[in-house]
Amino acid sequence: MDWGEAASEIDGSDVVINLAGRNINCRYTPENRREIKESRVLSTRAVGQAIASAARPPAVWVHASTATIYAHRYDAANDERTGILGGSEPGAPDTWRFSIDVATSWERAANEFDLPHTRRVLTRSAIVMSPSPGGAFALLLRLARLGLGGRWGDGRQFVSWIHDEDWVRAIEWLIEHVELDGPVNVSSPEPLPSFEFMRELRRAAGMPIGLPATRWMLEAAAFVMRTETELILKSRRVVPTRLVESGFSFQFPSWPAAARDLVRRRLSRA
């Protein structure tokens, strides 16, 4: 894509939402790494430059980021004020460090510009659970229905997630509430360990068993599926402190109810 051409289409409307970025569901080969990072950084710079030069700059720039920016941890939850940014954890795989580099570079690019008339919101989104085909939820549900949704690794790693309808409502909320700028975690207030996460998904799907998988088994499966294990092995314990403090109310704060709704919608589409 010609990012300069895309940026020239910004005409000073009230809101700009930038969600551009290459799909990360792939092996992190050198070529894929380059495309993943450049698609985010270059598109962000194009949008920032367009806003900076606009005769009538938008009031709000909602910019995509990711909850992956936080450290892998089991203890305290990461919020916008006290959360620990990742990348230096002992023993962290190279693929995890790459994801942190992408996330921090993405946000750094958005902050390169002096935009006195535009409020910037960096949405550190958790995994958006949607019944649409090809997404994370569709993959996890498929594994659960095949009886493969048991304990992954030690099962203690936290899953941070958000229901797709709450994600849309949160973006609308961020646009409307002028007191919110900078990094904002867009995630459910109730992350949970992956063992519990998959147990509730199995219940929603009507699957009574879930076979466990060791780390090496997951690595082998990811290689065959041409993806990475970061989605299911990194502990993402993220909470949306700023959203909650601003008064935002989640329709699906807890995973069991969200899982039942998503399974129903996914199966009705199938």
Side-chain angles (χ1 to χ4, degrees), residues 29-269:
T29 63
E31 179 64 15
N32 286 343
R33 291 186 187 218
R34 182 188 64 79
E35 291 181 359
I36 288 169
K37 187 171 181 177
E38 288 187 355
S39 67
R40 286 159 173 77
V41 172
L42 297 183
S43 63
T44 299
R45 286 176 176 160
V47 173
Q49 290 167 358
I51 293 174
S53 60
R56 294 182 297 113
V60 186
W61 176 12
V62 178
H63 176 65
S65 183
T66 172
T68 299
I69 199 169
Y70 291 110
H72 166 82
R73 62 191 301 191
Y74 296 97
D75 51 359
N78 289 304
D79 72 0
E80 302 92 340
R81 299 191 183 99
T82 63
I84 300 173
L85 301 187
S88 60
E89 302 95 315
D94 172 66
T95 51
W96 295 11
R97 290 194 295 271
F98 165 70
S99 295
I100 297 295
D101 175 58
V102 170
T104 53
S105 298
W106 207 3
E107 291 195 2
R108 190 181 307 117
N111 288 319
E112 288 178 359
F113 304 93
D114 181 23
L115 306 176
H117 304 294
T118 300
R119 176 168 57 95
R120 266 171 292 204
V121 184
L122 308 178
T123 58
R124 291 177 176 173
S125 294
I127 302 171
V128 180
M129 296 296 171
S130 163
S132 300
F137 179 78
L139 172 61
L140 295 173
L141 178 59
R142 181 184 177 194
L143 293 174
R145 296 181 71 192
L146 290 172
L148 303 176
R151 188 184 301 272
W152 292 336
D154 61 19
R156 295 169 50 235
Q157 62 272 32
F158 276 79
V159 179
S160 287
W161 60 278
I162 185 168
H163 190 283
D164 61 337
E165 293 178 1
D166 277 333
W167 185 86
V168 172
R169 293 175 56 250
I171 298 302
E172 293 173 344
W173 182 272
L174 292 172
I175 292 170
E176 295 168 358
H177 286 256
V178 297
E179 73 275 14
L180 292 171
D181 64 357
V184 178
N185 291 345
V186 183
S187 63
S188 158
E190 299 181 18
L192 68 169
S194 66
F195 178 71
E196 297 179 19
F197 179 90
M198 290 306 298
R199 181 188 63 198
E200 295 302 328
L201 180 54
R202 293 198 311 270
R203 286 176 176 171
M207 172 54 70
I209 63 170
L211 299 177
T214 62
R215 186 170 188 137
W216 74 263
M217 294 168 65
L218 294 170
E219 294 288 356
F223 179 81
V224 172
M225 297 172 67
R226 308 308 299 162
T227 187
E228 299 286 347
T229 59
E230 182 179 14
L231 171 66
I232 56 179
L233 288 181
K234 180 176 178 179
S235 184
R236 295 174 173 84
R237 193 173 185 180
V238 179
V239 291
T241 297
R242 296 190 66 199
L243 263 181
V244 172
E245 288 181 349
S246 70
F248 182 78
S249 176
F250 287 84
Q251 290 183 341
F252 294 93
S254 300
W255 177 238
R260 289 192 296 271
D261 176 75
L262 291 163
V263 168
R264 175 187 59 79
R265 291 164 59 201
R266 176 66 184 157
L267 296 183
S268 67
R269 293 187 179 191

